[in-house]
Amino acid sequence: MQQDYILVVDDNQTNIAILTDTLKEQGFRVFTARDGRGAIEHLKTMTPNLILLDVVMPGLDGFETCRRIKAHPHTENIPIIFMTALEEPEQKVKAFHLGAVDYITKPFRPEEVLARVNIHLRLHHLNQDLEKRVSDRTNELSNALKKLQQQQIQLVQQEKMSSLGSLMAGVAHEINNPVGYINGNIQHALNYVDYFIEHLRLYQLGKNSEAIASHAEEIELEYLIEDLPRLLFSIKDGATRIKEISRSLRNFARSDDETKTPFNLHDGIESTLTILGHRLRAMEFRPAIQIVRCYGSLPEVVCFPGPINQVFMNLLCNAVDALDEAAIATSNYQALEENPQIIKITTEQQGNQVMVRLRDNGPGIPEAVKYRIFEHTFTTKPIGKGTGLGLPISRQIVVDRHGGNLSVNSELNQGTEFVVTLPLGQPDKH
């Protein structure tokens, strides 16, 4: 077992000799100093486990010596026991106020000295052990926190990849439609052009009017003249649609999420709706979902546009999922035509913040579920239907990254409303 070091500071050689003999007999290693300055010099080269410090000494008295020891980070935690013949209460109070742990009155009684030394050494070692345990536990918690943060990053990336998969499927579906009719109409347009060229060559070759009229009837010239502009306008519409989808995708997937920038929330919502167009259209089990826009006059919001668009995507996808499940459960197409499924989007400014409300007229959320939907470990999604992390990550984006709020209002059979509240914010300074 390692020996404890004790520093005895006293200007009386007899007292030093008594204390030294008493302590050494108990197996302690003892160092001595005749005054406060000598004690401070000792502490520059060694760190005792305990200090026995006389109060009345020439030069630096015990109180000033104690104050200086406690003022230094390297020695502030060493327990100090004052030794004094003074009995005034204010002196004892002053000793404790300066940081001493105890005091011993003179003349010494060896049993009392050893009892007080032993108990304070024991307390000192317990305190050191506790500090070490706290330090070790803090390191463990710090490592656990880092690991948790890494796992959280992985979960966020997993959710992004899940959203990206659905997003790409939707974008492919949205682009395939205009590409399909552009491709089909181009072939018809090329055929029409060939017919027109053939007909013009009859004039070029100087054919008689009877031959020209016969050819015009053969190729249905009047129909071609009427239909070709429609084909070209259809091709133009398809190209415009693809351009619009491309712009929406670029707007949705903005990568400027390292710095906050001014952003038009309506553009973000519209881009998300464009990408989700295939999910809003009529299905075999339900009519098209109607989007009702109640947009207020909003200023640009300083935010991370990409993550905010991800929030809109998550909330709108959840609304569509809820309406789809309700439609399948209803199994009554005609009833849904008479009472259309609706997602209402309302935006407004309130002071220095903006609010985006997304309300569906679906089945609502049960109370037991509503209070857990933002938990990372909770999901109602079946296996293969996403990660179930959309809402927790959305709340993290809105609350932690933007200082806003994401709340839910819902009652069974009364629909569900998510409310995104964002501060107008200030651009990041570079």
Side-chain angles (χ1 to χ4, degrees), residues 202-317:
L202 294 178
Y203 287 95
Q204 189 178 34
L205 295 172
K207 297 292 183 178
N208 57 44
S209 59
E210 185 178 340
I212 292 173
S214 175
H215 186 266
E217 184 177 351
E218 179 184 342
I219 65 173
E220 299 182 0
L221 181 60
E222 291 303 320
Y223 173 77
L224 297 184
I225 292 171
E226 181 182 346
D227 197 44
L228 181 58
R230 286 201 297 261
L231 287 181
L232 295 177
F233 278 118
S234 179
I235 291 170
K236 181 183 177 183
D237 286 345
T240 301
R241 178 63 177 163
I242 292 174
K243 183 179 179 181
E244 183 181 310
I245 294 169
S246 175
R247 181 190 62 79
S248 296
L249 182 60
R250 187 169 59 252
N251 187 28
F252 175 83
R254 287 178 61 167
S255 60
D256 49 354
D257 58 355
E258 295 302 320
T259 57
K260 291 182 178 178
T261 56
F263 181 56
N264 187 323
L265 294 185
H266 292 155
D267 287 347
I269 295 169
E270 289 302 316
S271 297
T272 307
L273 289 171
T274 297
I275 293 167
L276 284 176
H278 69 291
R279 294 205 60 194
L280 301 172
R281 294 194 187 96
M283 304 284 186
E284 68 276 3
F285 58 89
R286 63 156 173 79
I289 295 173
Q290 297 183 14
I291 300 296
V292 177
R293 297 168 175 82
C294 296
Y295 290 170
S297 178
L298 295 187
E300 289 189 327
V301 174
V302 178
C303 63
F304 300 107
I308 289 298
N309 282 337
Q310 185 183 354
V311 172
F312 294 149
M313 175 66 79
N314 290 340
L315 297 180
L316 286 167
C317 281

Side-chain angles (χ1 to χ4, degrees), residues 118-146:
N118 280 319
I119 192 169
H120 286 295
L121 281 174
R122 192 176 302 117
L123 289 172
H124 179 57
H125 291 313
L126 286 172
N127 186 56
Q128 285 183 320
D129 182 60
L130 180 60
E131 287 180 351
K132 184 178 183 305
R133 290 186 181 185
V134 170
S135 177
D136 291 343
R137 185 59 176 159
T138 300
N139 289 333
E140 289 177 10
L141 291 174
S142 177
N143 292 333
L145 178 61
K146 290 178 181 177

Side-chain angles (χ1 to χ4, degrees), residues 372-402:
R372 298 192 62 193
I373 58 175
F374 293 113
E375 296 178 11
H376 280 84
T377 56
F378 181 78
T379 180
T380 59
K381 290 185 178 290
I383 296 174
K385 295 294 184 181
T387 64
L389 294 170
L391 288 177
I393 289 173
S394 294
R395 177 170 246 182
Q396 182 186 36
I397 290 170
V398 173
V399 177
D400 297 342
R401 297 195 67 183
H402 291 87

Side-chain angles (χ1 to χ4, degrees), residues 72 85 131-132 166 179 192 272 296 322 338-339 341 381 394-395 405 420-421 426:
H72 197 285
E131 287 180 351
K132 184 178 183 305
S166 300
V179 166
Y192 289 3
T272 307
E338 294 171 358
N339 298 284
Q341 293 181 304
K381 290 185 178 290
S394 294
R395 177 170 246 182
N405 187 50
V420 179
T421 305
Q426 295 291 330

Side-chain angles (χ1 to χ4, degrees), residues 90-101:
E90 60 270 16
Q91 296 292 329
K92 297 176 183 177
V93 171
K94 184 177 181 180
F96 289 124
H97 181 71
L98 288 170
V101 296

Side-chain angles (χ1 to χ4, degrees), residues 73-89:
H74 183 64
T75 57
E76 63 179 345
N77 292 321
I78 301 173
I80 295 175
I81 298 177
F82 274 117
M83 302 181 295
T84 179
L86 303 174
E87 290 293 337
E88 292 84 351

